[in-house]
């Protein structure tokens, strides 16, 4: 099956895409050794350095693997999904369950590690959440997530913070949909204020158990509503 000569630019991306297409179409089944760089370069009409970079891109996507002294072999026909892509494709309830694990532990740590600056940020976030009660559902959800983000930040663990940030885009859309679907703010525009105030107070008091317990209960209620949709 001919691969076809490539257009001038950008060559590496085009070369990688052509090779990816051939693998996906079964031209080179799993376990097959790819032709050498010289052969691929001639077939594609590019230099060996371009082929080398294209193969590195395929290796990074989990499609091929270089074996020293043996060559480059096909190990998969579909690229591995990165973490953000997996999150976007995951069920919101699955994402929320993992969110609970992360945030409850973050609340424990925040109560033990919070600084004066953290407490000021938490108070400001709680105030903003209350102000957002008069705003749209999307703005209210954004203010709610910002408060939760302040809790995670107060844990002073950059890995936890990074994980939370990865969850935010999926969580935001799921929560906006939930609020609108169930009309959660029709009777109380500041839905959940009491629980969030108690969470901030527990962290301020350094009560790790109360902080974790309060956040767990709040998140469990939301998860139950998501599961009942």
């Amino acid at each position: 099956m001919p691969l076809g000569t490539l257009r001038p630019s950008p060559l590496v991306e085009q070369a990688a895409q052509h090779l990816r297409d051939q693998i996906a179409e079964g031209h080179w089944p799993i376990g097959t050794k790819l032709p050498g760089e010289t052969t691929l370069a001639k077939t594609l009409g590019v230099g060996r350095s371009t082929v080398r970079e294209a193969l590195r891109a395929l290796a990074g996507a989990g499609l091929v693997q270089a074996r020293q002294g043996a060559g480059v072999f096909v190990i998969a026909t579909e690229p591995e999904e990165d973490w953000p892509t997996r999150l976007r494709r995951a069920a919101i309830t699955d994402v929320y369950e993992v969110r609970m694990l992360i945030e409850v532990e973050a609340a424990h740590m925040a109560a033990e590690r919070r600084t004066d600056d953290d407490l000021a940020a938490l108070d400001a976030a709680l105030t903003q959440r209350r102000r957002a009660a008069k705003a749209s559902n999307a703005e209210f959800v954004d203010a709610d997530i910002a408060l939760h983000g302040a809790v995670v930040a107060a844990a002073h663990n950059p890995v936890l913070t990074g994980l939370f940030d990865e969850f935010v885009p999926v969580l935001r859309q799921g929560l906006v949909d939930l609020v609108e679907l169930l009309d959660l703010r029709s009777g109380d525009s500041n839905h959940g204020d009491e629980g969030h105030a108690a969470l901030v107070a527990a962290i301020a008091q350094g009560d790790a158990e109360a902080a974790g317990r309060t956040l767990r209960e709040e998140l469990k209620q939301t998860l139950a509503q998501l599961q009942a949709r």
Side-chain angles (χ1 to χ4, degrees):
M1 182 182 297
L3 297 179
T5 302
L6 303 178
R7 299 184 304 279
S9 174
L11 293 179
V12 172
E13 289 84 354
Q14 290 184 54
Q17 187 59 54
H18 275 255
L19 295 173
R20 188 180 292 115
D21 290 344
Q22 296 301 305
I23 291 172
E25 293 168 7
H27 183 62
W28 292 305
I30 293 176
T32 301
K33 177 182 176 180
L34 295 183
E37 290 180 2
T38 302
T39 300
L40 289 174
K42 182 177 179 180
T43 304
L44 295 170
V46 298
R48 289 182 59 187
S49 61
T50 298
V51 170
R52 193 173 302 118
E53 290 302 317
L55 291 175
R56 285 176 182 166
L58 295 187
L63 294 174
V64 302
Q65 182 181 67
R67 299 174 187 170
Q68 188 170 6
V72 178
F73 292 80
V74 176
I75 59 173
T77 57
E78 295 291 335
E80 295 179 351
E81 290 184 333
D82 58 17
W83 179 238
T85 300
R86 289 186 181 184
L87 282 178
R88 287 194 299 271
R89 293 165 65 94
I92 184 62
T93 50
D94 291 339
V95 174
Y96 216 86
E97 286 178 346
V98 179
R99 177 196 182 185
M100 286 178 61
L101 296 175
I102 291 173
E103 287 199 49
V104 170
E105 184 58 32
H108 276 274
M109 295 166 67
E112 296 170 346
R113 301 177 180 181
R114 82 284 185 275
T115 64
D116 289 342
D117 287 343
D118 293 326
L119 295 179
L122 286 166
D123 285 338
L126 181 60
T127 298
Q128 183 55 39
R129 189 181 188 276
R130 288 170 171 166
R131 287 175 181 163
K134 300 178 182 179
S136 67
N137 287 333
E139 291 173 291
F140 181 73
V141 168
D142 285 339
D144 179 80
I145 290 175
L147 174 55
H148 285 266
V151 173
V152 174
H156 294 281
N157 184 308
V159 177
L160 275 177
T161 302
L163 284 173
F164 180 80
D165 289 344
E166 292 281 4
F167 282 115
V168 166
V170 179
L171 288 173
R172 181 185 185 279
Q173 190 56 57
L175 291 175
V176 170
D177 291 345
L178 178 68
V179 170
E180 294 181 348
L181 179 66
L182 301 183
D183 201 16
L184 293 179
R185 301 175 64 214
S186 60
D188 179 9
S189 62
N190 195 14
H191 179 76
D193 179 67
E194 183 178 347
H196 286 80
L199 171 62
V200 171
I203 292 174
Q205 294 163 8
D207 191 336
E209 290 303 315
R213 182 175 61 253
T214 300
L215 185 53
R216 184 183 297 107
E217 288 305 312
E218 188 256 319
L219 294 177
K220 280 177 64 177
Q221 290 177 16
T222 304
L223 177 60
Q225 292 170 319
L226 285 168
Q227 292 170 332
R229 284 169 53 182

